Structures are given as C-alpha cells and as structure tokens.
Amino acid sequence: MIGLGTLVNSGSILIGAAAGLLLRRGLPEKWQESIMQGVALCIIVIGVQMAFKSENIMVVIFSIVLGAIVGEAVDIDAKLQSFGDWIGSKLIGGRDAGAAKAIGEGFVAASLIYCVGAMAIIGSLQDGLKGDTTILFAKSTLDGIIAIILTANLGIGVALSAVSILLYQGTLTLLAGVLEPVLTAGILNEVTATGGVLIMAIGVNMLKVVQIRISNLLSAKLALVPDAVEKMKNESQEKDLALGRLWQQLLEKKAESYPESTEV
C-alpha cells in the first residue's frame, strides 16, 4: 500500500509523544534541564555528522545564505511560530499564553528534526515508486524514540509534528515519479548536509546559547533545486556524448569489416 510508511511514521511519533508525556510528569525540573542539555548536544553531533556528507561545501554555504535572504524577506520564522502559537492556544483554549508558546516551539523544533534529513526524502520516494517501506519503517523507529525524549523536554507540541510528517512525506510519496530524476545521489548528499546545518542550529537553540531563526533558513533546501537541474543537464549531456562516441566506434568497425572494393 502506497503511503503506508508515512502513516506508520506519523503513528510512531504519536506513540512516542504519549510515552514522553508520562515520563515528563515523573521527572523533577532539574533533571529535565540536564536531559534537555544532553539531548541538545547529541542533536548538534548528529547535525555535524550530516553536514560532513557534503561533497562541495560551497553549495551548502550558498544554499544557507540564499535561504536566509529569502527566509528573512518572507519572515517564515514569524509565520511558523505564529501558526504554532495558534495551534497551542486552540489546544489549551487560550488560557495560558506561555504554555501555548511552548507547544508551538515543540511543534516547530520536532517538525524540523523529522523533515530535514535524507531518510524522509529517500524513504518517501521508495514508498511512492516501489511500495518499499523499509527506510520509512526504520525512520519510524528512530522518530518514535526521539519523540519520547523531545516530548519529555518540550511537551505535547512534539506530537503535532506527526501532521507535518504526514503532509511532507505524503507529498513526496505522491510526487515520487516526478522527483526521482532530479534527486540524484550527489544532490541528496547536499540536501543532507544542508539539513545537518539546520539540525545543529536546533541543538544550539535548545541550549539557549543564542536564538537562531531556523525557519528562515528552511528555504536553503529550495536553493539546491537549480544545482539539481544543472547536474541533471550535465549528466544528460554526458550520456549523449557517450552514445555519440559509441555510435562512432560502431561505424568505424563496420567500415573495417566491409571495406569498399577497389579496382585492380
């Protein structure tokens, strides 16, 4: 069944979030703070590992800079935070603005963590093209565990990221046939590396060292599209040249095998 991987992925986040809420209630505030800092450091390490997958760091730098310009111009962060706050206020009936903001922050942070990695893209493409859910099932296990940890620290907002997964991965699954030729291995490496930078920023925000407007960097992913198209064109040209050389070699061999008769 096409889309089963995404449905399971969303379900695993909801289950993990429910377990995280139970854990959150039994932990003293001091423990929660220490766990939050430890998780933040681990998230930074994961981001660094992803960033090292880049084959051309200048592509990542260009994408982040261009993404920041577009993001600040549109102010994606403010709109996404407002959306998260609105969801939070609806859930608690607008009684506590601070609690609503916390729900929004949990929703945004978890959505970014779950959606920026390569597993979401590759797994959704495989699900859409072949009905192969192997990668998304593996991602579901990881996301469920992460949901427990994040919810224990960030609250119920993490559970709402299941909707983000449903929309994001569901769209990729439906468009798999269109996206597959563009998302080559090289492009996926750059997507992963760019996502790694964003995940590092999430870890930094969780440590409260500085507050990076991460959502305003999300369009960095779109900045990779021209590079993807250019690489696809180059690969197409290389294939055409290879076919041309092969055809030339066949003609030469034919000429050698059937030489023109000469008069004696």
Side-chain angles (χ1 to χ4, degrees):
M1 173 182 153
I2 302 297
L4 178 62
T6 295
L7 291 174
V8 171
N9 200 168
S10 297
S12 71
I13 291 172
L14 292 174
I15 294 171
L21 282 176
L22 295 175
L23 182 62
R24 179 184 178 90
R25 291 171 183 169
L27 289 176
E29 185 176 345
K30 185 177 179 181
W31 289 25
Q32 290 183 28
E33 183 179 350
S34 295
I35 293 173
M36 169 78 86
Q37 292 170 347
V39 169
L41 292 173
C42 291
I43 287 174
I44 291 173
V45 171
I46 292 170
V48 170
Q49 289 179 330
M50 291 173 63
F52 277 132
K53 292 185 181 294
S54 174
E55 297 173 0
N56 186 351
I57 193 62
M58 291 307 299
V59 172
V60 177
I61 294 172
F62 172 78
S63 300
I64 292 292
V65 171
L66 184 58
I69 293 172
V70 174
E72 289 294 341
V74 180
D75 204 359
I76 299 172
D77 188 76
K79 291 179 173 60
L80 197 55
Q81 289 293 346
S82 296
F83 177 65
D85 293 348
W86 177 80
I87 292 176
S89 64
K90 291 298 180 183
L91 286 176
I92 63 174
R95 293 185 300 271
D96 188 342
K101 184 175 180 59
I103 291 174
E105 289 175 351
F107 161 70
V108 172
S111 296
L112 292 175
I113 290 172
Y114 292 142
C115 293
V116 298
M119 286 183 78
I121 299 174
I122 299 172
S124 299
L125 292 180
Q126 288 195 350
D127 190 3
L129 293 170
K130 306 174 183 177
D132 184 356
T133 57
T134 305
I135 291 178
L136 287 185
F137 279 0
K139 182 176 181 290
S140 299
T141 303
L142 294 172
D143 288 354
I145 295 171
I146 292 172
I148 296 173
I149 299 169
L150 288 180
T151 306
N153 291 277
L154 299 177
I156 189 62
V158 174
L160 300 177
S161 63
V163 179
S164 302
I165 286 289
L166 196 62
L167 294 174
Y168 177 66
Q169 292 183 182
T171 302
L172 290 176
T173 299
L174 293 175
L175 298 178
V178 177
L179 296 174
E180 187 193 24
V182 178
L183 296 174
T184 61
I187 290 299
L188 285 174
N189 283 337
E190 303 310 324
V191 168
T192 300
T194 305
V197 174
L198 300 181
I199 286 180
M200 288 166 59
I202 293 171
V204 171
N205 279 0
M206 289 174 68
L207 287 174
K208 299 179 180 178
V209 178
V210 294
Q211 282 302 304
I212 302 170
R213 292 185 290 277
I214 302 168
S215 302
N216 283 351
L217 301 176
L218 283 177
S219 47
K221 294 276 189 144
L222 297 178
L224 292 167
V225 172
D227 186 54
V229 174
E230 185 63 28
K231 285 192 176 183
M232 190 168 63
K233 286 181 180 178
N234 291 339
E235 288 178 0
S236 177
Q237 290 173 356
E238 289 174 1
K239 287 179 181 177
D240 290 342
L241 289 173
L243 287 173
R245 287 194 295 267
L246 180 60
W247 180 248
Q248 184 64 32
Q249 290 172 1
L250 289 173
L251 290 177
E252 290 175 356
K253 287 184 179 180
K254 183 178 180 181
E256 292 173 359
S257 301
Y258 303 98
E260 295 181 358
S261 57
T262 57
E263 295 182 0
V264 179

